[in-house]
Amino acid sequence: MTLRARPVARRRGRAGWDSGDRRNSLINLGFILAIGLSVLILIGYAAWSWYDDHFGAAATVNGTVITKDDLRARLKVETFRLDYVESRIQYEMARGRISPEDGQQQIQFINQRKEQVVNLALERLVDITLMGTLAQDNGITVSEEDIDAKIVEEATTAEQRHVWLIQIEPATDPDTGEPTDEQKRAALVKAQQALGELTRGASWEDVARKYSDAANAPQAGDLGWLQKDSGYDEAFMDAVFAAELNEPTDIVEADDGTYMIGRYTEVAPEEVDEDFETAIAEANITMEEYRLAVRGDVTREKLSDKIVADLSKPGPQRHVLQLRVPERNESSLGEGEPGAKVRWIAYAPNDDMGAAENLEPDDPAWAKAEAEADAAYAILKDDPDRFDELAREQSDEASGKRNGGKQPWYYDSSQIDAALRVAIVDIANAPGTVLEPIKGDDAWFVIQIMRRTDVSEDDFMSRIKAEAVSEEAFRRLVRDHGEGEGADKGGDIGWITRGQLAEELDEAIFAAPVGSVSEVVDVAGDARYLFWILAEETRELTEEQLDIIEQSGFSYWYSKEKAKADIDYALGS
């Protein structure tokens, strides 16, 4: 039997993994999946971008998100408001109620605000968000009627009057820089004479040019068109708006001590812009968006009124002594140039700092001034503690009488009399040294070196604080180193209520125990401060304190609340 090999037949079935068809199929499927995945990524990115562009955070306030859409809506409102104010200024200029110069100045300010409008809108949204929570905590609500009234207020141009002013300014004492009682009476008499002539029929123009000390006296005191809350003296504007047309007011003593007589010759009554809502719509702002912005504005006003009212109630006040050491003025050569802080007493010929240039060197007035300086030096050499007393009593330099002769820092590059400069910067003259009298260009000077630049201001204030161990010691330190308010009274600045001073000063005053000294407070660009706390009582606020609280009480309170909040500016601020 013959054996034959059976032919091997290829079985039909699935191809192997190395099949070309299989590879092609997988490659095609991969392409399809890659394309699909890319499309999904693009769609996802577009969706995320859209979401972030609309609902992404522009800022957060205590976890509450301010979205980018919120910012866009507020940005439209703020831009509209700036544009609307500019249009009103243009309108008033066209009617002659605002001069071209004043109008352009106001428009320039508005344009500056427009350049900052994004940051302005974002900051207002942050404040409105935080104030909304603070308002709830203080039981404050805002009704739809409140919003309606606020919108009408925005659409209203207040009454304006064409106002004229006669102003009489008292002369001032050359030594103190303040008017004496006699000088005040003389100014009042002058004002009474002016009013008398007006009531007897003299023309306003003639009387204004004859009596007024104001810069606009040649223009008969024309102040232009003003609203009642224009920023001029409040008592004066109250009198003008209470007067009859073309009739002079009574004499008004202004806050700055000047005497004022006013009148108005024309009235522009209050106007409501009936097209205000149309203008809002034309700016592509919905009324819902605008009312939301106004709600925030009303919230702020109500919260401010509530806080000011609370701060104005009787409460704890502290009787305080203040020691203020002004920030060191730098030398013209920059930091590091040796120098000294001094105080001096000036003895001028004929007791007049301006008389020397007209005198011969051998004039007897110079000898008399030298003798006075020698006498003072003899006293101070034995008792330097009397320097402040003699400076206030005897110095012929007006500022010396006011501040005990204290001067700014002087350096070798300072532009003062060469003889004075050489003696002051000489490091051989140690702090506390009273120098023998030195002849300057306009007076003889008795100088005391107070301190030098080799001791930092921080170290100096630490030493002062360590020496302030009693009220008596503190008053002595104020006498010898303090400048500014209260320095002539041992530092006594009276009773202080919360919110009356800058926040950092307020905190230091109310943190210190009664009968002790505060921590040193460094106010950049101003001075370093120490306080001695004399007493604490619950007291009614004075008129002056109430005015301060009205002007700055809310901002003082809110700045502290804002500092405590968790605020994140995702877009910057």
Side-chain angles (χ1 to χ4, degrees):
M1 181 172 64
T2 302
L3 297 175
R4 294 167 50 184
R6 295 180 65 185
V8 178
R10 187 179 297 274
R11 285 191 281 181
R12 301 171 67 89
R14 294 186 303 170
W17 285 105
D18 59 349
S19 166
D21 291 342
R22 176 62 175 168
R23 283 197 303 271
N24 290 337
S25 297
L26 289 174
I27 289 171
N28 291 336
L29 179 60
F31 278 132
I32 292 170
L33 290 173
I35 292 170
L37 181 60
S38 298
V39 171
L40 288 174
I41 290 173
L42 289 173
I43 292 172
Y45 179 76
W48 177 85
S49 296
W50 180 90
Y51 180 88
D52 181 67
D53 190 50
H54 290 272
F55 300 105
T60 58
V61 181
N62 291 334
T64 300
V65 176
I66 298 170
T67 70
K68 294 176 182 178
D69 270 354
D70 294 334
L71 178 57
R72 288 191 187 94
R74 185 73 191 202
L75 183 58
K76 288 191 295 183
V77 171
E78 296 301 334
T79 301
F80 164 77
R81 285 174 166 172
L82 291 170
D83 288 341
Y84 186 78
V85 171
E86 182 176 352
S87 71
R88 296 298 302 180
I89 292 171
Q90 297 281 9
Y91 180 60
E92 295 297 326
M93 288 170 61
R95 294 200 293 184
R97 294 181 184 171
I98 298 179
S99 70
E101 295 79 9
D102 289 344
Q104 288 304 321
Q105 187 175 12
Q106 293 176 37
I107 290 173
Q108 183 179 4
F109 174 76
I110 290 171
N111 288 333
Q112 290 172 351
R113 299 289 282 177
K114 287 180 180 179
E115 294 174 0
Q116 306 163 352
V117 71
V118 175
N119 286 341
L120 172 67
L122 180 58
E123 198 60 43
R124 287 192 172 166
L125 280 174
V126 167
D127 288 336
I128 286 169
T129 303
L130 178 57
M131 288 180 191
T133 302
L134 296 172
Q136 290 179 358
D137 294 343
N138 282 273
I140 293 170
T141 59
V142 176
S143 68
E144 294 302 311
E145 291 75 15
D146 293 330
I147 298 172
D148 291 338
K150 184 64 176 177
I151 291 175
V152 171
E153 180 184 322
E154 286 191 30
T156 301
T157 300
E159 177 185 320
Q160 300 179 69
R161 298 188 178 189
H162 192 172
V163 181
W164 306 73
L165 166 70
I166 294 173
Q167 177 176 287
I168 313 298
E169 184 175 355
T172 57
D173 184 277
D175 292 330
T176 65
E178 299 293 332
T180 63
D181 290 341
E182 183 178 347
Q183 289 168 326
K184 290 179 181 179
R185 283 194 296 272
L188 178 58
V189 168
K190 186 177 177 182
Q192 290 168 337
Q193 291 170 342
L195 183 58
E197 291 192 22
L198 289 172
T199 56
R200 289 191 295 271
S203 74
W204 177 275
E205 291 75 11
D206 290 344
V207 174
R209 294 184 180 115
K210 178 180 178 181
Y211 288 98
S212 184
D213 299 322
N216 62 0
Q219 292 77 44
D222 189 354
L223 294 178
W225 289 86
L226 299 176
Q227 298 178 8
K228 189 175 183 181
D229 59 351
S230 60
Y232 273 86
D233 184 83
E234 184 177 351
F236 172 73
M237 293 306 296
D238 285 345
V240 169
F241 273 72
E244 297 293 329
L245 182 68
N246 283 316
E247 293 296 325
T249 67
D250 290 333
I251 297 169
V252 176
E253 184 175 0
D255 289 339
D256 62 0
T258 61
Y259 295 99
M260 296 179 167
I261 303 169
R263 70 161 181 170
Y264 67 94
T265 54
E266 298 174 86
V267 178
E270 176 181 280
E271 291 181 314
V272 178
D273 183 357
E274 301 296 341
D275 297 324
F276 188 68
E277 292 193 15
T278 301
I280 293 173
E282 290 175 349
N284 196 29
I285 302 170
T286 67
M287 282 309 298
E288 181 181 2
E289 290 172 327
Y290 201 82
R291 291 180 72 85
L292 182 62
V294 172
R295 176 179 290 277
D297 299 337
V298 175
T299 299
R300 186 193 189 286
E301 290 181 3
K302 286 195 167 189
L303 182 61
S304 176
D305 291 343
K306 169 72 164 51
I307 298 306
V308 168
D310 289 345
L311 291 173
S312 300
K313 295 176 182 177
Q317 295 191 36
R318 290 190 157 193
H319 190 184
V320 176
L321 304 181
Q322 171 183 282
L323 192 159
R324 176 181 177 273
V325 178
E327 193 172 79
R328 180 186 298 179
N329 55 291
E330 295 299 331
S331 71
S332 61
L333 298 182
E335 187 175 353
E337 183 185 6
K341 172 81 171 174
V342 303
R343 54 181 173 178
W344 66 41
I345 308 172
Y347 293 93
N350 298 320
D351 301 327
D352 183 355
M353 295 293 289
E357 60 182 356
N358 299 318
L359 295 178
E360 296 296 329
D362 58 354
D363 190 287
W366 274 112
K368 180 175 182 294
E370 181 182 12
E372 291 172 341
D374 287 339
Y377 174 71
I379 295 172
L380 295 173
K381 186 169 58 173
D382 293 333
D383 188 3
D385 284 348
R386 292 189 61 189
F387 201 104
D388 183 86
E389 171 196 339
L390 294 185
R392 294 181 189 277
E393 290 179 355
Q394 298 183 9
S395 183
D396 293 323
E397 188 176 54
S399 61
K401 286 187 177 294
R402 290 195 297 271
N403 66 8
K406 298 179 184 70
Q407 303 297 314
W409 284 80
Y410 289 124
Y411 307 89
D412 196 45
S413 60
S414 298
Q415 299 300 308
I416 59 172
D417 295 355
L420 304 184
R421 184 176 66 250
V422 169
I424 289 170
V425 300
D426 186 351
I427 60 174
N429 296 321
T433 303
V434 178
L435 308 182
E436 293 187 15
I438 301 171
K439 185 180 181 182
D441 293 340
D442 48 12
W444 280 86
F445 293 86
V446 179
I447 302 173
Q448 183 180 41
I449 307 298
M450 298 172 67
R451 58 189 191 276
R452 293 197 170 277
T453 53
D454 57 351
V455 176
S456 73
E457 294 297 271
D458 288 340
D459 288 345
F460 172 74
M461 291 303 295
S462 295
R463 193 198 84 199
I464 291 295
K465 184 176 186 299
E467 292 179 8
V469 295
S470 66
E471 178 188 338
E472 180 183 3
F474 192 91
R475 288 181 181 273
R476 184 170 60 252
L477 291 167
V478 172
R479 178 197 67 193
D480 290 335
H481 301 287
E483 299 182 49
E485 183 183 3
D488 60 336
K489 299 177 291 185
D492 195 340
I493 59 172
W495 290 91
I496 303 298
T497 187
R498 284 192 179 275
Q500 183 175 339
L501 302 179
E503 180 181 347
E504 55 266 53
L505 304 183
D506 184 281
E507 292 298 330
I509 288 171
F510 283 88
V514 174
S516 70
V517 68
S518 73
E519 295 299 322
V520 176
V521 183
D522 183 2
V523 179
D526 175 27
R528 287 172 169 81
Y529 292 82
L530 272 176
F531 301 97
W532 183 273
I533 314 304
L534 293 172
E536 179 174 302
E537 294 179 6
T538 297
R539 299 170 64 89
E540 297 275 355
L541 274 66
T542 65
E543 288 297 321
E544 181 181 4
Q545 288 174 325
L546 289 170
D547 287 343
I548 293 171
I549 296 300
E550 180 70 28
Q551 294 169 15
S552 59
F554 177 72
S555 61
Y556 155 84
W557 175 86
Y558 179 64
S559 65
K560 293 195 295 183
E561 294 298 323
K562 193 171 183 177
K564 293 187 292 186
D566 181 12
I567 300 173
D568 177 31
Y569 293 92
L571 296 183
S573 62

